[in-house]
Amino acid sequence: MSITYPRGFRAGGVSAGLRRNGSPDLGLIVNDGPVRATAGVLTSNRVFAAPVAWCRPVLEAGTAHAVVVNSACANACTGPEGLADSRAEAELVGGLMGCAPEQVLVASTGVIGQRLDMVKITEGIHTAHAALGTGGVVDEATARAIMTTDTVPKTIETQVAGARFGGIAKGAGMLAPQLATMLVFITTDAVATHEELQAALAPAADVTFSRVDSDACMSTNDTVIVLASGASGVALSPEEMRAGLTEVCSGLARQLVADAEGSHHDVLVTVTGATTEKAAVAVAREVSRSNLVKTAIAGNDPNWGRILSSVGCVPVEVAPFDPDQVDVSLNGIVICRGGRIGEDRDLVDMTPREVRIDIDLHAGDATGHIWTNDLTHEYVEENSAYTS
Amino acid sequence: MSITYPRGFRAGGVSAGLRRNGSPDLGLIVNDGPVRATAGVLTSNRVFAAPVAWCRPVLEAGTAHAVVVNSACANACTGPEGLADSRAEAELVGGLMGCAPEQVLVASTGVIGQRLDMVKITEGIHTAHAALGTGGVVDEATARAIMTTDTVPKTIETQVAGARFGGIAKGAGMLAPQLATMLVFITTDAVATHEELQAALAPAADVTFSRVDSDACMSTNDTVIVLASGASGVALSPEEMRAGLTEVCSGLARQLVADAEGSHHDVLVTVTGATTEKAAVAVAREVSRSNLVKTAIAGNDPNWGRILSSVGCVPVEVAPFDPDQVDVSLNGIVICRGGRIGEDRDLVDMTPREVRIDIDLHAGDATGHIWTNDLTHEYVEENSAYTS
């Protein structure tokens, strides 16, 4: 169970023949209401794909009835023709669902710079529509239909104050060879307006998906969508709605990190003692983007010099602190104290998959974190393999 | 010939026993005048090593007589004790040369978070002082004394209007396991003041060393120093001085890129059609820091989607342009035109070591470039190997 765990939703995932191996590659999620409220967060990459361009006004209206999504082709860098393809998908789904094309969200993931095979897409949408249902099997097929190089489907479900939430996700940052994109689809049967959903989703995404920085690459297709059906009859408080969405986003984000391509370690970089949360996140992000830190972790090397050096690359106007006051802990061992050698590095156990880097700037009370991965041979292998 | 090609300089490189393999690891460069003008550029990392802290006021005074440099240990993250060690080196060299400690520059490169072995350093300085001389053998030993994981020494010499210039360098960004640092030492026998040298060095470094971005990691020890002896009696115009230093810096920067650890490709990212040079360099730097672009190049994959996607990550306030106007060429083939598919990617020959990425933003007349490298298995291997 996941996206049809909340009442008022049907879903379907089918193989439209877009992926060569015959795996599911086209999904349809339908909101049967009675409420049909939508919110979303889209990539901030200035080079964004056609489906992202299509979704912007649909999400602003905030009343989508359905989402259609495909893998294998990102429909990115495809010009006006690509946008026409996204519109054609919305028109077809709208026709089948009895709603306007402008009430259908479209998402794609896969190879950049390639047109969609609209013959297969059209057939796939009809098949998916015929297969619409609820329950574990349907949810699994839909979660699989959005996978590219993911090794496992990512799903979640939870309850807050009698309202149900479900979600599926694929990807982690932009990890695969031309197979871009993090896609996340969340459903809830809470009663909510577009504005209430958006107000809860934005901060939820900000402290979860926006703090996953697997390889610092932002995709052309990143899309997070939440649909509310109102079928539970339960209206949540703003705090409850935010709590529910944050729990779903947090759980899916953690699954994305755990399945990041070629990774051997999930790395949680936590910065404390910062002047502001923004400063803390900036320092954590700088560390999480250092290839020297990431390769050291791949080698199970508790190399605090590289961590401290990357901390020092953050400009003082972004994060004020005194480098001579900085402590760095690795998996609980304070190997750097006051900017200098701390406890014996041999005490650090680097074998667990989850690695915790804790940096105390001793400059304030704010904290922030980033999840990242190590940089391994497998990452290079998977991302340097010839396209096609 | 290199640093003693300009008249008025002596140098020495010896093995002080700091490196386990017995290679040269301590160098001394002496300016015999009659002029003794100095200028320098130091790392902007807020976590900077003791020798960098020592050099700051010495470079501000601008009248150094000598430089002492060691490899194997960076003397970084070593606190007040580390600074005392750098001072002790300067005092010893000053005593031998008959100048104040404040007229001696100190540089170190190697492992972070480890104290210098001052017994070996002291002995090495005496040996290097006794070995001071001029000519190819001496220069070669000095160039080798600053190497860490460099596979070849980097040297250059040139002439401008009768004044001679020479230089040696090590490293490329921060590439080796805890072996940080780019170190560059340049000599000239032109007649010049500290102010004239600094005015010429800063822009020269800005368009050369500052445009090498091998792995986006900034070291704690980066140091570029130029010494002028005035022994030629030739006073250069500001333009001539800048031309001479730019030629030396450019040549050494190119050698650093060519020897970057584990690299198979030297990649020149050139951005044209930008509104400003700063915007052009920002776009080039974003592309050069994309691990997805760098791994694609390692795999000889002309993956323009990743290039365009990284271009799109530059904020509009940094570089205004229309993504739908952007052209991308790879080794001369326009594989992306107007943000969409251009010529056949199979036409791109990715086999040469030097790869040229040309990006035309069609937004203005400014250009800028960054040199980088591909991201290979060997990079991961060399940087994930256990320290010790």
Side-chain angles (χ1 to χ4, degrees):
Chain A
M1 299 283 277
S2 57
I3 45 173
T4 67
Y5 169 64
R7 290 146 288 201
F9 292 95
R10 287 175 295 153
V14 299
S15 173
L18 303 167
R19 298 177 74 179
R20 294 182 192 164
N21 60 5
S23 302
D25 48 24
L26 192 137
L28 199 55
I29 306 170
V30 175
N31 184 350
D32 287 323
V35 165
R36 289 192 180 94
T38 326
V41 175
L42 300 168
T43 184
S44 52
N45 196 320
R46 292 162 69 189
V47 176
F48 51 84
V52 170
W54 174 260
C55 282
R56 268 191 225 290
V58 178
L59 284 171
E60 268 170 39
T63 60
H65 289 218
V67 181
V68 58
V69 53
N70 73 278
S71 53
C73 173
N75 192 10
C77 307
T78 46
E81 295 84 359
L83 188 56
D85 289 341
S86 289
R87 163 178 281 279
E89 289 185 82
E91 284 171 350
L92 177 54
V93 173
L96 291 169
M97 306 305 311
C99 66
E102 289 74 17
Q103 289 172 314
V104 177
L105 291 158
V106 179
S108 297
T109 178
V111 178
I112 295 178
Q114 189 176 294
R115 293 279 303 277
L116 287 172
D117 182 333
M118 288 305 289
V119 173
K120 289 181 178 169
I121 291 273
T122 301
E123 207 173 286
I125 288 173
H126 281 286
T127 314
H129 182 250
L132 281 175
T134 59
V137 176
V138 165
D139 282 7
E140 168 93 5
T142 312
R144 287 195 177 276
I146 63 174
M147 287 166 60
T148 50
T149 54
D150 306 63
T151 63
V152 290
K154 286 97 183 165
T155 67
I156 197 166
E157 61 192 58
T158 189
Q159 278 204 34
V160 174
R164 296 181 182 178
F165 291 80
I168 59 175
K170 65 118 335 197
M174 182 166 171
L175 285 168
Q178 285 201 350
L179 296 167
T181 306
M182 176 186 79
L183 294 183
V184 178
F185 305 107
I186 301 168
T187 53
T188 176
D189 54 19
V191 178
T193 65
H194 159 64
E195 289 75 16
E196 288 165 353
L197 276 186
Q198 191 69 42
L201 178 64
D206 195 47
V207 296
T208 55
F209 299 120
S210 296
R211 298 203 179 166
V212 173
D213 199 333
S214 181
D215 66 356
C217 293
M218 178 165 55
S219 127
T220 51
N221 292 54
D222 286 340
T223 300
V224 180
I225 287 170
V226 54
L227 307 167
S229 69
S232 68
V234 176
L236 299 177
S237 71
E239 294 70 30
E240 288 168 335
M241 179 60 80
R242 185 170 164 176
L245 289 180
T246 302
E247 186 184 339
V248 168
C249 293
S250 177
L252 290 174
R254 186 67 188 81
Q255 293 179 52
L256 293 174
V257 170
D259 197 28
E261 275 193 1
S263 64
H264 296 173
H265 287 294
D266 304 339
V267 185
L268 177 58
V269 184
T270 305
V271 174
T272 57
T275 50
T276 62
E277 182 184 0
K278 199 174 162 189
V281 172
V283 171
R285 199 175 290 279
E286 187 80 22
V287 173
S288 77
R289 290 188 171 184
S290 164
N291 280 352
L292 287 171
V293 170
K294 289 156 77 82
T295 47
I297 294 169
N300 286 344
D301 175 8
N303 195 320
W304 64 270
R306 292 186 187 176
I307 297 170
L308 195 64
S309 180
S310 64
V311 168
C313 291
V314 179
V316 66
E317 60 273 21
V318 173
F321 61 85
D322 176 358
D324 289 338
Q325 298 295 318
V326 175
D327 298 336
V328 178
S329 298
L330 244 169
N331 284 347
I333 306 296
V334 189
I335 45 170
C336 168
R337 188 168 270 136
R340 282 176 276 168
I341 308 166
E343 293 180 51
D344 186 353
R345 44 173 285 147
D346 291 341
L347 297 173
V348 181
D349 178 10
M350 294 288 287
T351 53
R353 178 166 176 101
E354 186 168 312
V355 169
R356 284 166 295 115
I357 299 177
D358 292 287
I359 299 162
D360 190 342
L361 300 177
H362 290 292
D365 296 322
T367 68
H369 76 273
I370 291 286
W371 275 103
T372 189
N373 294 100
D374 53 346
L375 175 53
T376 66
H377 282 293
E378 288 80 357
Y379 177 89
V380 174
E381 185 62 30
E382 299 197 33
N383 286 297
S384 63
Y386 201 79
T387 325
S388 78
Chain B
M1 299 282 277
S2 56
I3 46 173
T4 68
Y5 168 65
R7 291 146 288 200
F9 292 95
R10 288 175 294 152
V14 300
S15 173
L18 303 168
R19 298 177 74 179
R20 294 183 191 164
N21 60 4
S23 303
D25 49 25
L26 191 138
L28 200 55
I29 306 170
V30 175
N31 183 351
D32 287 323
V35 165
R36 289 191 179 94
T38 326
V41 176
L42 300 169
T43 184
S44 52
N45 196 318
R46 291 162 71 190
V47 175
F48 51 84
V52 170
W54 174 260
C55 282
R56 268 192 225 288
V58 178
L59 283 171
E60 268 171 40
T63 60
H65 289 219
V67 181
V68 58
V69 53
N70 72 277
S71 54
C73 173
N75 192 12
C77 306
T78 46
E81 297 83 0
L83 188 56
D85 289 342
S86 289
R87 163 178 282 279
E89 288 185 81
E91 284 171 349
L92 176 55
V93 172
L96 291 168
M97 307 304 312
C99 67
E102 289 76 16
Q103 289 171 315
V104 177
L105 291 158
V106 179
S108 297
T109 178
V111 179
I112 296 178
Q114 188 176 297
R115 294 279 303 278
L116 285 172
D117 182 334
M118 288 305 289
V119 173
K120 289 180 177 170
I121 291 274
T122 302
E123 207 173 286
I125 287 174
H126 281 286
T127 314
H129 182 250
L132 282 176
T134 60
V137 177
V138 165
D139 281 7
E140 168 92 5
T142 312
R144 286 195 177 277
I146 63 174
M147 287 165 62
T148 50
T149 54
D150 306 64
T151 63
V152 290
K154 287 98 183 164
T155 67
I156 198 168
E157 62 191 57
T158 189
Q159 278 204 34
V160 175
R164 296 179 183 180
F165 291 80
I168 59 176
K170 66 117 334 195
M174 181 166 172
L175 284 168
Q178 285 201 350
L179 297 167
T181 306
M182 175 186 79
L183 294 183
V184 177
F185 305 108
I186 301 167
T187 53
T188 176
D189 54 19
V191 178
T193 64
H194 158 65
E195 289 75 15
E196 288 165 353
L197 278 185
Q198 191 70 43
L201 178 64
D206 195 46
V207 295
T208 55
F209 299 121
S210 296
R211 297 204 180 166
V212 173
D213 198 333
S214 180
D215 66 356
C217 294
M218 178 165 56
S219 127
T220 52
N221 291 55
D222 285 341
T223 300
V224 179
I225 286 170
V226 54
L227 308 166
S229 70
S232 68
V234 175
L236 298 178
S237 71
E239 293 70 30
E240 288 169 336
M241 178 60 81
R242 186 171 164 175
L245 289 180
T246 302
E247 185 184 340
V248 169
C249 292
S250 177
L252 290 174
R254 187 67 188 83
Q255 292 179 53
L256 293 174
V257 170
D259 198 28
E261 274 192 3
S263 64
H264 296 174
H265 286 295
D266 305 339
V267 185
L268 176 58
V269 184
T270 304
V271 174
T272 57
T275 51
T276 63
E277 182 183 359
K278 198 174 163 191
V281 172
V283 172
R285 198 176 290 280
E286 187 80 22
V287 173
S288 76
R289 290 187 171 184
S290 164
N291 280 352
L292 287 172
V293 171
K294 290 156 76 85
T295 47
I297 293 170
N300 287 342
D301 174 8
N303 196 320
W304 64 270
R306 293 185 186 176
I307 297 170
L308 195 64
S309 178
S310 64
V311 168
C313 291
V314 179
V316 67
E317 60 272 21
V318 173
F321 61 85
D322 177 357
D324 289 337
Q325 298 295 318
V326 175
D327 298 335
V328 178
S329 298
L330 245 168
N331 285 347
I333 306 296
V334 189
I335 44 170
C336 169
R337 187 168 273 136
R340 280 176 276 168
I341 308 165
E343 292 181 50
D344 186 355
R345 41 173 288 148
D346 291 340
L347 296 173
V348 181
D349 178 10
M350 293 289 287
T351 53
R353 180 168 174 99
E354 187 168 312
V355 169
R356 284 166 296 114
I357 299 176
D358 292 287
I359 299 161
D360 190 341
L361 300 177
H362 291 291
D365 296 321
T367 68
H369 75 273
I370 291 286
W371 275 103
T372 189
N373 294 100
D374 53 346
L375 175 54
T376 65
H377 282 292
E378 289 80 355
Y379 177 89
V380 174
E381 185 63 32
E382 298 197 33
N383 286 298
S384 63
Y386 201 77
T387 327
S388 79

